[in-house]
């Protein structure tokens, strides 16, 4: 096969269908940018989960003297010293527990004031004796919260067992929902790109039906005739994938590194290694997807 002939045919095909080729490039770029962005968002959510779940604690709140009317579990009054010692001893024996810290009502009141501010009307109406003493438990595996809840929820002197991980669940559910939405839009754009590729191949094959007919008559093989069309689609897809890579790199540089990092301090964002690891996959998809779509379309439209 003469490379010069194939390259010239690719150039002819791209010039004849310039508008549709541009549409293919843009569609492939957007769909693959959304695909790469979805992969990066999933990795970001996993990183955030690992970071925050490693920091959250399970809290066992103890009854105080003001809880008897509000909480049925505290009907017998505030937790006694013996009950506190028994709870701590049982916690320290559990294999899932990494660290146990006791917070007194005075310490809880101090943290409460720090959170709401000294001048807040809400904070001013609260007194130390209204704050619950609590055990803050650091688990070796944050997913083992149910073990603590089952063992201590019904204990005398325990008001409630709270897993701080649940506070973050809504945030992670929102991020996962955004990720699925991005994947849905990516799927829609991918369908549009494939339809454009098929239509471009059909128009290109129709416009060169006389040349392909002559090539058939002189004994050219089907592969020899089809390869320029396939390479046209692959070239357009590769350009789209390259544009998608530019969008991903630009998003990491401008959006993440130069904006989000400076405005959000509580999140550890993924770095360049995660972005660069996704670029070869984006390029491979941009090359193979249009080529396979074009090859499938040629079986129907390239009939001589």
């Amino acid at each position: 096969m003469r490379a010069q002939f194939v390259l010239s045919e690719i150039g002819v095909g791209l010039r004849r269908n310039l508008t549709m080729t541009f549409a293919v490039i843009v569609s492939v770029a957007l769909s693959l940018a959304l695909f790469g962005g979805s992969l990066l968002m999933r990795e970001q959510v996993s990183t955030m989960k690992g970071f925050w779940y490693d920091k959250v604690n399970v809290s066992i709140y103890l009854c105080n003297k003001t809880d008897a009317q509000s909480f049925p579990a505290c009907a017998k009054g505030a937790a006694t010293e013996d009950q506190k010692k028994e709870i701590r001893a049982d916690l320290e024996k559990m294999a899932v527990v990494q660290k146990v810290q006791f917070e007194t009502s005075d310490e809880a009141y101090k943290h409460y004031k720090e959170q709401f501010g000294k001048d807040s009307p809400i904070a001013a109406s609260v007194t130390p004796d209204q704050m619950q003493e609590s055990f803050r438990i650091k688990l070796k595996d944050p997913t083992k919260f149910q073990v603590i809840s089952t063992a201590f929820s019904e204990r005398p002197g325990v008001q409630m067992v709270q897993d701080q991980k649940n506070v973050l669940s809504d945030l992670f559910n929102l991020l996962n929902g955004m990720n699925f939405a991005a994947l849905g839009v990516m799927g829609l754009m991918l369908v549009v790109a494939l339809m454009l590729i098929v239509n471009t191949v059909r128009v290109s094959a129709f416009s060169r039906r006389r040349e392909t007919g002559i090539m058939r008559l002189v004994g050219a093989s089907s592969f020899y005739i089809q390869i320029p069309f396939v390479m046209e689609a692959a070239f357009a897809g590769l350009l789209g994938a390259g544009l998608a890579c530019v969008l991903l790199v630009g998003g990491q540089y401008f959006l993440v590194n130069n904006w989000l990092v400076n405005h959000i301090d509580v999140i550890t964002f993924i770095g360049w290694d995660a972005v660069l690891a996704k670029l070869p996959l984006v390029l491979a998809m941009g090359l193979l997807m249009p080529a396979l779509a074009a090859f499938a379309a040629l079986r129907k439209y390239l009939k001589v």
Side-chain angles (χ1 to χ4, degrees):
M1 182 184 298
R2 292 184 304 157
Q4 184 178 358
F5 169 76
V6 174
L7 294 175
S8 65
E9 287 295 300
I10 293 173
V12 170
L14 293 175
R15 287 195 300 272
R16 285 182 178 178
N17 305 289
L18 187 60
T19 303
M20 296 185 68
T21 300
F22 179 75
V24 169
I25 292 173
V26 173
S27 300
V28 170
L30 292 177
S31 60
L32 291 181
L34 287 169
F35 170 72
S38 298
L39 294 180
L40 292 174
M41 184 177 289
R42 181 178 299 177
E43 188 166 336
Q44 178 66 59
V45 171
S46 298
T47 301
M48 290 173 61
K49 283 183 177 179
F51 177 80
W52 285 108
Y53 284 178
D54 186 57
K55 294 183 178 298
V56 298
N57 298 318
V58 175
S59 298
I60 299 178
Y61 291 100
L62 304 177
C63 298
N64 63 21
K65 62 181 182 180
T66 65
D67 289 337
Q69 296 180 350
S70 303
F71 297 92
C74 299
K76 295 182 179 180
T80 64
E81 291 299 322
D82 290 338
Q83 290 172 343
K84 297 174 189 177
K85 292 179 181 179
E86 184 180 354
I87 291 173
R88 176 185 281 275
D90 290 343
L91 283 171
E92 292 175 347
K93 292 177 184 177
M94 299 183 72
V96 297
V97 174
Q98 179 177 334
K99 182 181 178 182
V100 178
Q101 181 180 355
F102 181 73
E103 183 179 75
T104 65
S105 58
D106 290 333
E107 291 172 339
Y109 179 73
K110 179 182 177 182
H111 295 157
Y112 185 82
K113 296 281 283 188
E114 291 173 352
Q115 181 178 359
F116 288 97
K118 296 180 180 180
D119 299 329
S120 170
I122 299 177
S125 63
V126 177
T127 58
D129 63 314
Q130 293 176 305
M131 304 301 295
Q132 284 82 21
E133 295 179 325
S134 63
F135 287 99
R136 304 299 174 93
I137 303 107
K138 178 73 174 178
L139 299 180
K140 295 178 181 178
D141 182 357
T143 62
K144 301 295 185 182
F145 157 73
Q146 198 61 40
V147 176
I148 303 296
S149 178
T150 302
F152 295 94
S153 292
E154 305 298 328
R155 283 288 190 95
V158 174
Q159 182 203 89
M160 62 181 297
V161 180
Q162 184 183 65
D163 182 16
Q164 294 178 351
K165 181 167 65 69
N166 292 334
V167 178
L168 302 173
S169 296
D170 291 339
L171 171 62
F172 291 133
N173 289 337
L174 174 62
L175 293 175
N176 286 327
M178 292 171 60
N179 191 40
F180 287 128
L183 287 174
V185 176
M186 181 272 293
L188 179 62
M189 292 298 302
L190 195 60
V191 171
V192 172
L194 291 175
M195 292 176 64
L196 283 170
I197 292 168
V198 171
N199 200 38
T200 302
V201 170
R202 180 180 67 84
V203 172
S204 183
F206 181 80
S207 65
R208 285 185 277 176
R209 62 190 183 282
R210 181 173 296 180
E211 291 93 328
T212 55
I214 294 173
M215 293 174 68
R216 285 286 193 191
L217 292 175
V218 298
S221 65
S222 297
F223 180 76
Y224 188 83
I225 297 172
Q226 292 173 356
I227 193 63
F229 298 97
V230 174
M231 292 187 68
E232 283 175 29
F235 180 73
L238 190 59
L239 289 179
L243 182 56
C245 291
V246 172
L247 293 174
L248 292 174
V249 171
Q252 176 69 20
Y253 180 77
F254 292 105
L255 179 62
V256 178
N257 291 357
N258 287 341
W259 190 71
L260 291 178
V261 169
N262 297 327
H263 290 79
I264 304 177
D265 298 328
V266 296
I267 296 178
T268 301
F269 291 97
I270 57 176
W272 282 109
D273 53 341
V275 177
L276 297 178
K278 303 297 184 293
L279 299 187
L281 178 60
V282 170
L283 291 173
M285 286 191 63
L287 181 66
L288 294 176
M289 180 188 68
L292 294 175
F295 182 77
L298 288 171
R299 297 175 62 87
K300 178 179 180 180
Y301 293 115
L302 196 60
K303 302 292 184 181
V304 180

